Amino acid sequence: MLTLILLTSGATQTLLAQPAPWQPTLDMAAASPAEIGQAIFTEADRRDSGYGDLQVSLRMVLRTARGRETERELRIKQLEVPGDGDMVLAVFDAPANIRGTALLSHGHPQREDDQWLFLSAMKRTKKIASRNKTGSFVGSEFSFEDLAPLEIAKYTYAYVGQEACATAQCYVVDRFPVDQYSGYLKHRIWLDTEALRIYRIDYTNKREQLEKRLELDGYQLYADQFYKPDYMRMQNLLNGRSTDLHWFDYQFNNQFTAERDFSVNSLRRAR
């Protein structure tokens, strides 16, 4: 979300060949909740891997508790890095006062993620410290933590059960951040039993309050392989604010490189 994080898709939709439904290889009756939860997310991650690189456009709608809306436009680039975590670059195109503002994230499976924010108005790049990743990203209901690439090893898991959801049936899994600086105690996640698409995430903060809810919809199949939603809404259940993300114009195989397109120095020319 993600995969703050993250995010894969193709330029042309096709429904000619769909991925096979997931068939658990472990004994669901005998396995522990931790083993089942880990298996579900390991398979979901496998199905989202292998895209190489991508670029996608977004429309962000920020909504106050009174219903006042503000719109922003941005682009996201993403790159798979062999032997390491994904790299993600988000660049704002509008409005004019934040045009060129950019966030670069690099996930790592076994150590703290790296994030840098370039503030175009100040022409200044700053590294986001781990203890500051709970802060709001440019006034939205997404935190810097929410936008970091997902790494399976950064969490522990507990299978809760199955229940009806948006499609038919969903697995419900609790995911617990290992990072001591995470703003969350846990994420409760609903994934459909057929393709392991995420339809909802409830975020509980460390005060044990249900703080935010992410809902996803409009899944389409691209490149015969990747299911991706075209709509997300992050709702803050404590303050009444929300942020919508509308995803469109996915492009694969852009020949991105880490050195040219995802370096800290590239943030100043990202616009």
Side-chain angles (χ1 to χ4, degrees), residues 116-136:
W116 296 268
L117 179 66
F118 174 66
L119 300 170
S120 58
M122 302 172 61
K123 294 182 171 54
R124 177 189 169 206
T125 300
K126 66 175 184 178
K127 197 171 192 298
I128 307 298
S130 294
R131 65 187 66 218
N132 295 331
K133 291 181 180 180
T134 60
S136 169

Side-chain angles (χ1 to χ4, degrees), residues 69-90:
E69 295 185 355
T70 303
E71 292 194 11
R72 294 172 176 173
E73 297 176 5
L74 64 153
R75 290 165 288 126
I76 286 180
K77 297 179 179 179
Q78 189 161 331
L79 177 71
E80 286 186 311
V81 180
D84 203 349
D86 292 358
M87 305 186 81
V88 180
L89 175 64

Side-chain angles (χ1 to χ4, degrees), residues 42 55 104 198 211 256 270:
T42 298
Q55 180 169 276
L104 174 62
I198 294 176
E211 180 176 337
F256 294 146

Side-chain angles (χ1 to χ4, degrees), residues 221-247:
L221 180 65
Y222 299 88
D224 294 342
Q225 183 176 359
F226 303 112
Y227 280 112
K228 292 300 162 194
D230 57 25
Y231 172 76
M232 298 180 183
R233 168 172 287 184
M234 180 72 89
Q235 182 178 4
N236 191 309
L237 303 175
L238 301 180
N239 63 28
R241 296 194 293 261
S242 63
T243 299
D244 295 351
L245 296 178
H246 301 267
W247 305 75

Side-chain angles (χ1 to χ4, degrees), residues 39-49 152 191 195-196 198:
I40 289 172
F41 271 90
T42 298
E43 174 63 16
D45 181 66
R46 186 194 68 79
R47 289 177 174 235
D48 253 355
S49 299
I152 296 295
L191 312 89
L196 304 183
I198 294 176

